[in-house]
Amino acid sequence: MAGGAGVAVLSGRGKTGRAVISALGRAGAGARPLGRAEAADLRTAMRGCEALYLMAPNMSVDEPAFVDSALRAAREVGIRRVVHHSVAAPYAPRMPHHLGKAVAEDLVRRSGLDWTILQPCAYVQNLLPGLRADPPGLDVVYDPDRSFGLVDVEDVGEAAATVLLRPGHIGATYELGGPELVSVRDVAGAAEAVLGRPVPVRRTPVREWSAGAGAGLDRRVHDWLLAMFAYYDRHGLPAGPGPLTALLGRPPKGVRQILGRELA
Ligand SMILES: NC(=O)c1ccc[n+]([C@@H]2O[C@H](COP(=O)([O-])OP(=O)(O)OC[C@H]3O[C@@H](n4cnc5c(N)ncnc54)[C@H](OP(=O)(O)O)[C@@H]3O)[C@@H](O)[C@H]2O)c1
């Protein structure tokens, strides 16, 4: 898969897509990012590619339909290899956007294509806007002491390139978590050490979020995010480091290391 079109990366210009494409580039493989502009004619957009990195846009209204049409298009243009970007704990009926990924995973497994499924936990990078603000701070709509397997999106990109380019991953599903379980408060502590200034943590009440940051959102996205916050508030989102360590051939990067790089 050296050079050329190589891998068609759906949602390839977003946060994850950029990490996947740069990891493919470092490994000497070509990639073609596909987004809204190409969505109307996926067949034409994918033609000539050898593999598909199948990633739905964030909070897709109908992720199974999106994945189904991408799988059909791949089959029609002769792409046999597909890697599906899902999420840690996809079967979580209380989080509609996770459940959409669980249904999509089933479509991928029954697609007849050579598939691999990646299930990344939430990225450390999701918290960067608050950490880059002046003054920095983390405001979350859930318990800041819950545990998450927060992962580096760059490590996820590297794992994606590995399963796409190396043999032995067809029919495998890998949950991708960071090296240890951490809370939002732990992330703030790591950021304080990197920035050398206080990083206060605040739990925003749901009503305040709905009237503020959530006010401009589409109603469905607003409600799905509230469902996610309620789940995080009770359960966090734990995910272990084992599969990612094996794929990278090294431990995944920890919060302190990631923030050292991102906040430098
Ligand atoms: N963020 C996390 O912590 C996390 C963790 C695990 C899994 N995930 C999953 O990873 C995936 C990508 O997340 P992300 O945070 O990287 O997303 P993102 O940065 O918001 O990027 C999503 C991309 O989707 C494209 N897009 C939007 N609407 C589209 C449409 N109707 N048709 C085709 N493309 C469309 C956009 O591309 P254009 O602007 O080029 O059109 C955008 O660049 C999502 O499925 C998400 O659930 C995220």
Side-chain angles (χ1 to χ4, degrees), residues 87-90 98 119-122 147-151 174-182 235-244 252:
V87 72
H98 276 229
Q119 300 175 328
C121 196
S147 292
F148 294 79
L150 293 183
V151 69
Y174 301 121
E175 180 182 82
L176 307 178
E180 59 200 352
L181 297 183
V182 289
H235 311 290
L237 192 66
L244 186 53

Side-chain angles (χ1 to χ4, degrees), residues 149-162:
L150 293 183
V151 69
D152 181 10
V153 73
E154 302 297 330
D155 279 351
V156 172
E158 200 174 319
T162 296

Side-chain angles (χ1 to χ4, degrees), residues 70-247:
L71 291 168
R72 280 170 201 274
R75 279 191 296 258
E76 284 174 30
V77 300
I79 292 177
R80 293 244 10 109
R81 181 80 178 102
V82 60
V83 175
H84 176 223
H85 189 94
S86 178
V87 72
Y91 185 70
R94 289 175 182 223
M95 289 194 283
H97 72 299
H98 276 229
L99 205 51
K101 289 185 192 298
V103 175
E105 283 193 4
D106 176 57
L107 295 172
V108 171
R109 292 192 179 93
R110 293 189 292 108
S111 65
L113 300 176
D114 294 334
W115 57 266
T116 305
I117 295 173
L118 298 181
Q119 300 175 328
C121 196
Y123 313 143
V124 172
Q125 279 80 358
N126 296 347
L127 295 169
L128 287 178
L131 300 176
R132 287 184 175 141
D134 192 11
L138 290 177
D139 293 3
V140 289
V141 195
Y142 50 88
D143 184 343
D145 293 306
R146 290 286 179 225
S147 292
F148 294 79
L150 293 183
V151 69
D152 181 10
V153 73
E154 302 297 330
D155 279 351
V156 172
E158 200 174 319
T162 296
V163 300
L164 280 161
L165 302 176
R166 303 221 181 122
H169 302 293
I170 292 171
T173 300
Y174 301 121
E175 180 182 82
L176 307 178
E180 59 200 352
L181 297 183
V182 289
S183 67
V184 167
R185 206 178 299 283
D186 293 331
V187 175
E192 285 183 348
V194 170
L195 295 170
R197 57 193 293 201
V199 178
V201 174
R202 183 169 172 266
R203 180 178 176 152
T204 309
V206 167
R207 270 199 209 148
E208 187 182 319
W209 179 83
S210 282
L217 297 175
D218 170 86
R219 191 75 220 169
R220 174 189 59 82
V221 173
H222 170 275
D223 291 350
W224 283 12
L225 283 172
L226 278 192
M228 182 186 83
F229 296 149
Y231 187 96
Y232 283 5
D233 191 50
R234 294 200 59 192
H235 311 290
L237 192 66
L244 186 53
T245 304
L247 291 173

